[in-house]
Amino acid sequence: MKIVIYIYNGITMLDAIGPYEVLKNIRGAEVYFVAEAKGEIKADSNFVHLNAKYDINDIESADVLLIPGSAITFIREMKNKKVLHWINKIDKTSTWTTSVCSGSLILAATGLLKGKEATSHWKPMTILKDFEVTPKNERIVKQGKYITAAGVSAGIDMALYLSNEIVGEAETKAIQLVIEYDPNPIYDCGHISKASNEVIEMAEIKLAKDAKKEIGLMDMLKSGKTLLKMKTPSSKD
């Protein structure tokens, strides 16, 4: 099984690595980290880098295609016609096309999600409407072969969901045990519907700080969309 994870500068590392830790354990899995160009890919933190051994010219098919998100540089990927064309090409061969976090906005920009429902990180999720995609404030949304996950950590849940679709319950449970995924966070505040206004405001400040760090102000203004301007969805959206 050929699993292709697209990576790009500014990526949120867990968006890619979380699902990778699950999917690599599926029997027969071969995982490829693919970028527009071979070489070093910097995460949004600038602390961790990945080395892309393959570029999009090397990869022409996949059983599973996964598009991770980022704090802000997903906007550049949404405007990159070469990358969007490649995603469409790979999608024609895939059994499953998936995303994590704002990666669903990159998928939406390809037109593949038009008329469908999808989820994303709570902050930029409403941009999905600009591509005739219905935002769903849920952790995982499946629409045929398309599976989208909410923000960052939701990619692990999505990968387990996908594993269950591919190899069934017993092996998926074994994979969950292998990675000892038994979440028990100190606070029940992982969804916007559970957070106070104070916590949401603090989170938005952190997101804005990350966005400014990743992309210049003029670039943000030219993009027409910034995390600073994005509407925060309610739990009823």
Side-chain angles (χ1 to χ4, degrees):
M1 172 172 290
K2 188 175 183 180
I3 299 169
V4 172
I5 302 176
Y6 177 67
I7 56 177
Y8 52 94
N9 283 319
I11 190 175
T12 298
M13 193 59 68
L14 190 60
D15 285 12
I17 298 302
Y20 162 77
E21 289 292 340
V22 173
L23 299 176
K24 72 172 185 177
N25 283 295
I26 292 177
R27 62 180 181 270
E30 296 181 356
V31 183
Y32 298 77
F33 285 98
V34 182
E36 184 178 3
K38 295 183 181 74
E40 185 179 79
I41 298 296
K42 297 180 180 179
D44 51 8
S45 65
N46 285 322
F47 294 137
V48 183
H49 301 161
L50 286 174
N51 181 36
K53 293 184 178 180
Y54 304 92
D55 64 38
I56 59 177
N57 296 314
D58 296 326
I59 303 296
E60 296 186 346
S61 65
D63 296 299
V64 176
L65 175 63
L66 189 146
I67 310 297
S70 60
I72 191 68
T73 55
F74 68 88
I75 292 172
R76 287 177 177 160
E77 302 305 308
M78 290 171 69
K79 295 171 178 288
N80 189 328
K81 292 182 180 180
K82 184 178 179 182
V83 168
L84 298 183
H85 174 75
W86 175 78
I87 291 173
N88 269 290
K89 182 176 76 172
I90 301 302
D91 177 72
K92 288 181 172 65
T93 73
S94 70
T95 303
W96 300 97
T97 296
T98 68
S99 68
V100 181
C101 195
S102 55
S104 62
L105 298 172
I106 301 173
L107 276 185
T110 68
L112 292 171
L113 298 181
K114 184 177 180 180
K116 296 179 173 62
E117 297 177 346
T119 190
S120 187
H121 190 281
W122 55 269
K123 188 61 176 172
M125 185 159 52
T126 54
I127 295 178
L128 287 168
K129 294 179 181 178
D130 294 344
F131 298 92
E132 299 181 48
V133 181
T134 302
K136 298 295 289 185
N137 198 6
E138 297 175 7
R139 194 149 176 89
I140 299 168
V141 174
K142 179 179 178 291
Q143 297 278 275
K145 75 170 192 174
Y146 299 99
I147 305 177
T148 56
V152 194
S153 64
I156 299 173
D157 291 350
M158 185 278 291
L160 288 168
Y161 181 97
L162 178 58
S163 173
N164 190 66
E165 292 285 313
I166 296 170
V167 297
E169 180 178 348
E171 186 168 343
T172 298
K173 284 182 174 179
I175 292 170
Q176 182 176 352
L177 182 58
V178 165
I179 66 171
E180 202 167 355
Y181 181 56
D182 187 24
N184 185 25
I186 186 172
Y187 297 117
D188 185 18
C189 193
H191 189 273
I192 193 168
S193 64
K194 303 175 182 179
S196 67
N197 289 335
E198 179 185 8
V199 169
I200 293 171
E201 289 173 6
M202 188 177 297
E204 289 179 330
I205 290 170
K206 291 181 180 294
L207 288 168
K209 183 179 179 181
D210 286 343
K212 289 178 181 178
K213 182 171 58 180
E214 285 300 316
I215 193 169
L217 179 58
M218 289 304 296
D219 216 351
M220 290 174 72
L221 293 174
K222 288 177 183 177
S223 74
K225 297 284 185 182
T226 76
L227 290 181
L228 297 174
K229 296 179 180 179
M230 294 173 195
K231 175 185 174 184
T232 299
S234 71
S235 59
K236 296 180 181 179
D237 283 351

